[in-house]
Amino acid sequence: MINDPLVKTLLTNIVEDESNLPIVEALNDGIETDEEIANKTGIKLNIVRKILYRLYDMGLASYKRSKDPETQWFTYSWKFEKDEVINRIKKDSQKYLSMLNEELEREENNMFFICPLGHVRLDFDESSDYEFICPACGEELEFQDNTETIEQIKEDIKMVESNFNSFNEKNK
């Protein structure tokens, strides 16, 4: 599961650095305590704990606390929440697709004008408010053909849908 590109991207963003992914892999493999994970991965215990709590805060890991009868110390047994990872990816993908579709609609339904010096990109209404003059530098705004932008957004939508559908097939 962790090798899936969408899962790996999500987890890498959460654990800050790809070098911390072995913590998640160990947790996914059934290693339960922070000390065991640190021993297996060779990652410092404080970093392991930081990552485990970050996963917990995101709802992607849970723990049970138990008290050792001899030492009276608490032990935390951690569990990787695979179903929550799947739900999170589905939710994030749907949100991203929605955003891309809104962006596509905006690009298809508007004309855009840009500053020749790159200060602003405005739609027709905004440009007319500024009388087609850049508010930052006073240069005359130029029409921008956004055909390539529209095609790129369509490609992005296809790619996200394809990745999402592939992910859904694997995780039914």
Side-chain angles (χ1 to χ4, degrees), residues 98-113 121-127 144 146 149-150 153 157:
S98 176
M99 188 264 316
L100 284 173
N101 282 309
E102 287 173 15
E103 188 177 335
L104 178 62
E105 185 178 331
R106 183 174 190 271
E107 289 292 329
E108 288 178 331
N109 295 324
N110 287 290
M111 290 190 335
F112 290 92
F113 296 83
R121 179 177 188 256
L122 304 171
D123 65 25
F124 181 83
D125 290 340
E126 294 167 326
S127 297
Q144 181 193 36
N146 64 345
T149 304
I150 290 170
I153 294 169
I157 289 171

Side-chain angles (χ1 to χ4, degrees), residues 146-161:
N146 64 345
T147 305
E148 285 183 27
T149 304
I150 290 170
E151 290 307 313
Q152 182 60 55
I153 294 169
K154 287 179 179 178
E155 287 297 316
D156 291 348
I157 289 171
K158 283 181 190 173
M159 183 190 67
V160 171
E161 285 175 340

Side-chain angles (χ1 to χ4, degrees), residues 20-138:
N20 290 328
L21 282 179
I23 296 168
V24 181
E25 290 169 356
L27 190 61
N28 188 44
D29 291 343
I31 298 176
E32 294 185 342
T33 69
D34 50 5
E35 291 161 347
E36 291 170 335
I37 292 170
N39 287 337
K40 181 179 186 216
T41 62
I43 298 173
K44 292 181 182 178
L45 184 59
N46 63 331
I47 294 173
V48 170
R49 287 179 176 154
K50 177 181 161 187
I51 297 303
L52 289 172
Y53 282 111
R54 180 167 285 141
L55 290 167
Y56 173 79
D57 288 342
M58 303 296 283
L60 306 180
S62 60
Y63 66 85
K64 289 184 181 176
R65 187 174 82 161
S66 57
K67 195 176 205 177
D68 185 312
E70 292 178 25
T71 63
Q72 298 296 308
W73 286 48
F74 287 108
T75 302
Y76 294 84
S77 297
W78 290 87
K79 179 183 174 206
F80 186 61
E81 299 293 345
K82 295 175 189 171
D83 290 342
E84 289 305 314
V85 171
I86 292 168
N87 292 338
R88 177 75 181 258
I89 288 173
K90 287 180 179 180
K91 186 174 127 189
D92 288 353
S93 295
Q94 289 167 340
K95 193 174 179 181
Y96 187 53
L97 274 172
S98 176
M99 188 264 316
L100 284 173
N101 282 309
E102 287 173 15
E103 188 177 335
L104 178 62
E105 185 178 331
R106 183 174 190 271
E107 289 292 329
E108 288 178 331
N109 295 324
N110 287 290
M111 290 190 335
F112 290 92
F113 296 83
I114 58 171
C115 170
L117 301 177
H119 292 118
V120 294
R121 179 177 188 256
L122 304 171
D123 65 25
F124 181 83
D125 290 340
E126 294 167 326
S127 297
S128 63
D129 288 345
Y130 290 106
E131 298 175 355
F132 298 90
I133 302 294
C134 175
C137 68

